[in-house]
Amino acid sequence: MFGVSGSGDTSGFGGLVRPVGDPHGAQRPYGGYFDEVADLLAEELAKRDVGFESAVTRVVVDRGELTLYVRPERIVEVCQLLRDSDGLRFELCSSVSGVDYLDAPLSTDPTEQSERLHVVYHLTSMTYRRRIRLEVGVTVENPHVPSVTSVYPTADWQEREVWDMFGVVFDGHPALTRILMPDDWDGHPQRKDYPLGGVPVEYKGAEIPPPDTRRAYR
Amino acid sequence: MTQTTDPYADSRETTEGRVYTVTGGDWDSIHAEDPLASERIVVNMGPQHPSTHGVLRLVLELEGETITEARTVIGYLHTGIEKNTEYRTWTQGTTFVTRMDYLSPLFNETGYCLAVEKLLGAEVPERATTIRVLLMELNRISSHLVWLATTGMELGSTTMMIYGFREREHVLDLFELITGLRMNHAFIRPGGLAQDLPVDAVDKIREFIPYMRDKIEDYEKLLTGQPVWKARTKDVGFLDVTGCLALGVTGPVLRSAGLPWDLRKTMPYCGYENYDFDVVTETTGDVFGRYLVRVNEMRQSLRIIEQALDRLAPGPVMVTDKKIAWPAQLALGKDGMGNSLEHVRQIMGQSMEALIHHFKLVTEGFRVPPGQVYVGIESPRGELGYHVVSDGGTRPYRVHVRDPSFVNLQAFPAMVEGAPIADAIASGASLDPVMGGVDR
């Protein structure tokens, strides 16, 4: 807008790069009920001859919230165990959402960054009043995640929304059609590389560029 | 997908599999048989039908008067609010989220702000939290009033419609007095509030409480024992606790089935654990139960408002962190919103640094440390959740809203299939869907 290149920050401080503390790979003890949840899940997985590490790739404790990064092929099994085990009882799937980590790779692991499409499940245990988060990462080339609708029927519409907005294909979903956009829409609007298609607005001689080309501060 | 043909939609092959296109207006090709000779009728209710609470489309398959299959079609209002917030600052985010569920704007703002504050690790001043509770409970009353009004009208009681909207006006007058706007307030901001309560707000709210108590009695006199109301709502739209939990239904619908699940009690936020109120439940699991739950919730909200007014102690309404709070405090002048003269004199005449800082905070916004949080609050419709992701910049990286209307609407077919078409109105209304929230 003002012919600015770079960050557009004139203070001199905008270009400073602060090291971001790696929120990944929390060490035990995780604190609170997180250890118990992780232990019970590991125990239940072991009963099925599945190692904890082969299902959960990483455990993150950040801002008092527990995140389990689950391998896509294990997500239904993990959800089933979290819902049905006595000590876990995550009866309610509060939310399923997608995140496209295109230009903000939160991981320092280079192999992780190609898995830019993340599906995030928020589970609530009404019995124990706990919340946890499950996260699944897939690539754009192979965006397939098994559907958890068999465990949580409420995920039906939410998975359709994630498919519509991010293009994650949920295998085994009963009717994976678009839900917010028209049925014949091309592309997935909430991906970070989806063009916004805004037009500049002219007002009293000044031209205001569309939101995606406006000056952004980092 | 296992289905190969769908009589409702054309299909084409894509790289992701077969894609169906529902176009409408092609009923001849779908219905090869003579509709007059056949008992099977497909009725498109909405998206402009007045009883669909906005632009909801219901595709109902009827066998005589009985619904054999119900489908809900949403997406007619898609505003792209979630995407839009990614192109604005964190503070500007409140102006977007407040427009989603337009009957409970202050819940949207609070939920979003709680999430941003959790990301920031900011502690909001006591007074700001109390005012938030006050505003939310007023908003719960106005939202339930619209539910009572519209549902009353849909089931034939235009008196209830006029009563409900009449009392809602009083709540909106209070909002106008406090926030300057009747809707879309953007009053609750990350870190606190845009400004403090005006001087006469507390008195006005205190006047409102006995008035509203009285009016709730009127609604009960009008509806609770009324034969038509009972006939239209009792044993209609039944959904038990198992069904609610499987479908993710929360809020008054879940409480009408008997589970006292209210996030204000079970997972408290905003200091709700310090307030004395009851979680209202019914055991009928039908529309009548949901009506009773909502009416009694309004009474409980009045109790909370009284306690919040008693609790109001003088103090700041914004965090003291100069990296988040704007140095300028807005004052309500004769001509509407503006800055106090004293402030303009101080900031323009004496403090250049504050002026620069203010400009930078307003244009750039503040930075939020990277990470993700989920915050759920109890909106009038159920759990309103905010999943907010930050990449460390001045804009939200992703804001996902778990809107209760969106999730609750999935239960509509489970409630109405097998019921007469007249019950579809009552059942749909009892979910209290707001399409602005559904379509985000």
Side-chain angles (χ1 to χ4, degrees), chain A residues 160 163-164 175-188, chain B residues 6 8-12 14 17-24 57 71-76:
Chain A
R160 281 175 65 189
W163 149 249
D164 193 355
L176 196 67
T177 51
R178 287 189 182 269
I179 190 163
L180 293 175
M181 305 304 283
D183 287 9
D184 53 353
W185 194 264
D186 285 325
H188 301 286
Chain B
D6 189 325
Y8 293 100
D10 287 337
S11 63
R12 64 194 161 95
T14 69
R18 183 169 296 184
V19 166
Y20 294 94
T21 310
V22 181
T23 49
R57 176 176 162 210
R71 300 175 185 204
T72 37
V73 186
I74 63 169
Y76 289 96

Side-chain angles (χ1 to χ4, degrees), chain A residues 21-42:
Chain A
D22 183 16
H24 301 302
Q27 301 297 312
R28 279 182 183 271
Y30 304 137
Y33 56 82
F34 300 157
D35 292 285
E36 195 187 332
V37 169
D39 288 341
L40 281 167
L41 183 62

Side-chain angles (χ1 to χ4, degrees), chain A residues 2-35:
Chain A
F2 297 104
V4 179
S5 62
S7 76
D9 193 329
T10 52
S11 69
F13 289 99
L16 287 179
V17 179
R18 277 178 301 176
V20 177
D22 183 16
H24 301 302
Q27 301 297 312
R28 279 182 183 271
Y30 304 137
Y33 56 82
F34 300 157
D35 292 285

